[in-house]
């Protein structure tokens, strides 16, 4: 489904991604971990087409097509979704309205009829239940005045409505209390199907207790320096990153 | 700077949809202004003596005045001798009696503008007085209105058929001495709309005037006068467009509203005069004086404006709150794109006891547009218990445009309460990207955010015009994004 080959990117003249290789097949869940500033969010941003990042090398195929050639909105319509680490507020634009516009734009690109208000509300009600999201929240402006946790929940709610093929969750667990974490994780799990995939960026093993990854990757200094199964996350929780980092530095001083 | 911001900065010219010219034979006087031209206009319109005298007094007063320089706008000097002060579609003898007698080319123009008069007649709800250059072409729905005693006709007709009302009310809210442009308008105005709602009548439909400047080098100097008698209610809508031309055209209108005891006037404007091209060439100079006098107790005057056109806008729809408990409102969306400049706002003059006013101004600047809000809230000594609330917001798209606010507050009564809130925000690249990531193209994202920002004002417009205004805003911001 997703194939990243030797991807390199820079921002403001600084090289951030220095050759990323990653393959994600349908039905898989990949976790990406790594110290602060290692390039996790940058990778996510590059995949969804944020223009501040300049691609300096490599390629990305999504369902066999050149993902990097598409505009940000085209990638979204093709089924790539990012739950943002820091969702922005859009004052004056109602949450429900926003989501209906987005969904219908995506449906249009797939040759589907737009959902009318009645059908859309029904869909919303159904998805709202899973995420224990209140109706009053959705009648407010997008993320405006939402608490940190509410913003994160809203991201996953949008994911539930838009039903992407590839969802990238950037630290969706940060800012959530224990109960909310469970709710959100269950919400994410419910969306998992054999024909879609998830990339979960996180610092904490805790999340991976609920969203169980098939693969765990450690991103350090713009490269994936170690990959493993879900046990790798447990090991990281115990030992931190130092042992991996020192191994890397010895192998290839930077 | 990243591409997202570039994209916002590079909103370019979208085609001005209404920029076509209608080829009709016109009856026009030579350019220039002097007493003879004024006499000629008055004669062509077969006006009573009092009106000619009034025009001449205004003209003589105008000669003593200087064009104002205080607005925060820049434009080359206007040569008032280059302007044609009267232009009308040529007609064979008598004027049109009904729609079937109107020049089909003119009707076609209105069709292109999206207001087919034939359609209008059938569709219930809107009565249109269409002003084509200087004369009113057709007034629909007149019959139905007259049954209620409502007078809704062109200004010229009102002069012919209701000279007593014109004599009584003309200049009673905006005297010709008010400012440079009101004096000019009073001297040379050629047409406009007149509307009179008798005692206790609630006008059953929206009244609407559609102005259009067609002939080149024509100044449009229309006058609108609305009188609402005791206990009456009226909602009036004005819409404007003009063809694309390279030179600037002057539009100096005067609108007078008078609300007597318990009367209610709602005046909405959707203004879409040609704004000039992307380089700032051409476009309308829109120098307009609009004022309402809330004279009676419990009277109410409400201005709503959506301004997306004109090269330069200079207007301050105002309310003088004379009657006890009277209410004044001003809701405004003003958009400037490319090289457009707007200096607009309102004046709320509190004279009577317990008078209340609300000001909601939403300025949007894009491209190299410059948008100034200028508002005056004056509470006079007599205005015991007066209240005002003002909210002035500015939204910036890109970083080459500007927003300025000039609030003036003068309070001479200690019991008054005046509140002023202001904010400036920018549509951020991160907001646009968030929308992109959900599948929305940049243009739609910008429109959505801008419409959200203007919601409070759009809510004040009659339903069908709110939709229109929303579309207009979209078209005006259309361009190169993404
Ligand atoms: N727009 C930008 N301008 C300048 N530097 C940037 C920008 N975006 C990212 N960087 C830099 O790139 C590096 C990687 O940042 P990134 O956000 O990808 O890290 P991360 O792995 O997601 O970290 P965290 O775990 O703290 O979220 C950091 O040094 C960051 O400061
Ligand atoms: Mg990050």
């Amino acid at each position: 489904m997703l194939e990243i080959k030797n991807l390199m990117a820079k921002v403001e003249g600084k090289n951030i991604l220095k050759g990323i290789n990653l393959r994600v097949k349908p039905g898989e869940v990949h976790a990406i971990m790594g110290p602060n500033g290692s390039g996790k969010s940058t990778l996510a941003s590059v995949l969804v087409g944020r223009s501040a990042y300049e691609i300096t090398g490599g390629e990305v195929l999504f369902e066999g097509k050149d993902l990097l050639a598409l505009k940000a909105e085209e990638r979204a319509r093709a089924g790539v979704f990012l739950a943002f680490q820091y969702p922005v507020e859009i004052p004056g634009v109602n949450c429900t309205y926003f989501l209906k516009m987005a969904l219908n734009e995506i449906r249009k690109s797939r040759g589907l009829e737009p959902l009318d208000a009645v059908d859309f509300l029904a869909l919303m009600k159904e998805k709202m239940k899973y995420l224990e999201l209140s109706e009053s929240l959705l009648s407010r402006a997008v993320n405006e005045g939402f608490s940190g946790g509410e913003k994160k929940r809203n991201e996953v709610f949008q994911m539930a409505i838009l039903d992407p093929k590839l969802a990238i969750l950037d630290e969706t667990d940060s800012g959530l209390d224990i109960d909310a974490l469970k709710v959100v994780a269950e919400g994410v799990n419910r969306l998992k199907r054999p024909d879609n995939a998830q990339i979960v960026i996180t610092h904490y093993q805790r999340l991976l207790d609920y969203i169980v990854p098939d693969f765990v990757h450690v991103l350090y200094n713009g490269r994936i320096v170690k990959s493993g199964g879900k046990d790798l996350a447990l090991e990281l929780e115990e030992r931190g990153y130092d042992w991996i980092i020192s191994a890397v530095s010895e192998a290839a001083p930077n | 700077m990243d591409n997202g911001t570039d994209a916002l900065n590079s909103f370019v010219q979208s085609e001005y949809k209404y920029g076509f010219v209608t080829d009709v034979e016109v009856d026009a006087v030579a350019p220039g202004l002097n007493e003879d031209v004024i006499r000629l206009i008055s004669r062509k319109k077969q006006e009573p003596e009092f009106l000619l005298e009034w025009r001449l007094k205004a003209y003589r007063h105008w000669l003593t005045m200087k064009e104002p320089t205080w607005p925060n706008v820049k434009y080359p000097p206007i040569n008032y001798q280059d302007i044609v002060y009267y232009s009308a579609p040529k007609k064979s003898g008598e004027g049109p009696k009904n729609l079937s007698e109107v020049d089909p080319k003119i009707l076609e123009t209105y069709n292109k503008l999206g207001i087919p008069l034939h359609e209008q007649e059938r569709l219930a709800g809107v009565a249109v007085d269409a002003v084509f250059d200087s004369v009113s072409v057709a007034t629909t729905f007149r019959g139905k209105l007259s049954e209620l005693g409502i007078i809704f006709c062109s200004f010229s007709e009102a002069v012919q058929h209701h000279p007593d009302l014109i004599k009584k009310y003309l200049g009673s809210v905006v005297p010709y001495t008010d400012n440079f442009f009101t004096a000019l308008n009073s001297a040379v105005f050629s047409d406009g709309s007149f509307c009179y709602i008798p005692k206790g009548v609630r006008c059953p439909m929206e009244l609407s005037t559609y102005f259009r400047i067609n002939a080149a080098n024509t100044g449009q100097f229309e006058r609108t006068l609305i009188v609402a008698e005791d206990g009456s209610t009226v909602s009036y809508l004005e819409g404007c467009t003009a063809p694309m031309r390279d030179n600037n055209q002057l539009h100096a209108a005067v609108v007078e509203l008078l609300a007597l005891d318990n009367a209610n006037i709602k005046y909405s404007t959707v203004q879409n005069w040609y704004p000039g091209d992307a380089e700032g060439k051409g476009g309308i100079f829109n120098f307009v004086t609009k004022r309402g006098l809330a004279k009676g107790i419990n009277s109410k005057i409400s201005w709503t404006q959506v301004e997306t056109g004109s090269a330069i806008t200079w207007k301050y729809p105002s309310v003088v709150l004379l009657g006890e408990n009277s209410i004044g409102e001003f809701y405004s969306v003003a958009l400037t794109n490319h090289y457009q400049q707007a200096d607009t706002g309102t004046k709320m003059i509190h004279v009577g006891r317990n008078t209340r006013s609300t000001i909601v101004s939403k300025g949007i600047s894009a491209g190299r547009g410059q948008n100034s809000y200028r508002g005056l809230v004056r509470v006079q000594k007599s205005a015991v218990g007066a209240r005002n609330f003002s909210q002035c917001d500015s939204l910036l798209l890109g970083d080459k445009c500007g927003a300025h606010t000039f609030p003036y507050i003068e309070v001479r009564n200690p019991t008054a309460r005046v509140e002023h809130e202001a904010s400036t925000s920018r549509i951020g690249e991160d907001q646009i990207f968030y929308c992109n990531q959900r599948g929305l193209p940049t243009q739609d994202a910008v429109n959505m955010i801008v419409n959200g920002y203007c919601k409070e004002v759009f809510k004040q417009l009659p339903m069908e015009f709110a939709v229109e205004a929303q579309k207009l805003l979209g078209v005006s911001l259309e361009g190169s994004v993404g």
Side-chain angles (χ1 to χ4, degrees), chain A residues 55-107:
Chain A
I55 313 289
T56 50
E59 64 173 334
V60 179
L61 299 178
F62 179 67
E63 298 193 308
K65 287 189 297 269
D66 181 5
L67 187 68
L68 303 179
L70 301 180
K71 285 199 246 176
E73 62 267 30
E74 292 167 342
R75 299 183 199 191
R77 292 176 206 152
V80 180
F81 178 92
L82 172 63
F84 286 84
Q85 183 173 3
Y86 305 107
V88 295
E89 306 193 353
I90 311 182
V93 177
N94 175 278
C95 258
T96 306
Y97 177 78
F98 174 77
L99 205 46
K100 182 164 167 265
M101 288 270 289
L103 178 64
N104 282 337
E105 196 66 45
I106 290 172
R107 287 177 66 92

Side-chain angles (χ1 to χ4, degrees), chain A residues 11-12 14 16 35-42 53 85 171 203:
Chain A
V11 60
E12 312 248 319
K14 192 173 139 205
I16 311 288
N36 293 128
S38 58
K40 302 182 297 296
S41 294
T42 302
Y53 299 86
Q85 183 173 3
E171 297 199 24
H203 286 291

Side-chain angles (χ1 to χ4, degrees), chain A residues 82-141:
Chain A
L82 172 63
F84 286 84
Q85 183 173 3
Y86 305 107
V88 295
E89 306 193 353
I90 311 182
V93 177
N94 175 278
C95 258
T96 306
Y97 177 78
F98 174 77
L99 205 46
K100 182 164 167 265
M101 288 270 289
L103 178 64
N104 282 337
E105 196 66 45
I106 290 172
R107 287 177 66 92
K108 191 169 87 187
S109 75
R110 298 183 184 161
L112 298 169
E113 287 291 304
L115 282 192
D116 62 18
V118 176
D119 290 344
F120 182 75
L121 283 176
L123 176 68
M124 246 183 44
K125 284 235 162 66
E126 181 201 324
K127 304 289 180 187
M128 241 157 51
K129 278 200 303 246
Y130 303 143
L131 289 158
E132 295 178 10
L133 217 64
S134 75
E135 219 157 323
S136 67
L137 203 65
L138 295 172
S139 64
R140 282 161 53 182

Side-chain angles (χ1 to χ4, degrees), chain A residues 131-249:
Chain A
L131 289 158
E132 295 178 10
L133 217 64
S134 75
E135 219 157 323
S136 67
L137 203 65
L138 295 172
S139 64
R140 282 161 53 182
V142 178
N143 293 326
E144 196 184 31
F146 285 22
S147 75
E150 285 168 341
K151 284 183 183 167
K152 295 302 176 73
R153 254 187 230 220
N154 188 33
E155 292 293 290
V156 177
F157 176 67
Q158 294 185 22
M159 170 180 160
I161 297 279
L162 301 180
D163 191 22
K165 290 182 193 151
L166 174 69
I168 305 164
L169 296 110
D170 192 357
E171 297 199 24
T172 301
D173 52 337
S174 66
L176 292 178
D177 63 44
I178 304 282
D179 295 334
L181 181 72
K182 271 190 217 164
V183 172
V184 168
E186 271 164 31
V188 171
N189 284 334
R190 208 182 274 275
L191 297 170
K192 204 182 140 180
R193 285 197 313 256
D195 64 339
N196 65 19
Q198 295 165 352
I199 296 176
V200 181
I201 298 171
T202 182
H203 286 291
Y204 304 106
Q205 152 63 24
R206 202 181 56 188
L207 176 70
L208 304 180
D209 283 341
Y210 302 107
I211 301 176
V212 182
D214 301 296
F215 301 94
V216 176
H217 310 277
V218 176
L219 190 64
Y220 172 66
N221 196 14
R223 288 191 185 92
I224 289 179
V225 293
K226 195 165 181 64
S227 297
K230 65 174 191 291
D231 294 343
L232 179 57
L234 285 170
E235 200 173 349
L236 291 170
E237 178 90 347
E238 233 165 76
R239 300 174 62 187
Y241 293 112
D242 276 355
W243 60 283
I244 300 177
I245 293 170
S246 50
V248 176
S249 325

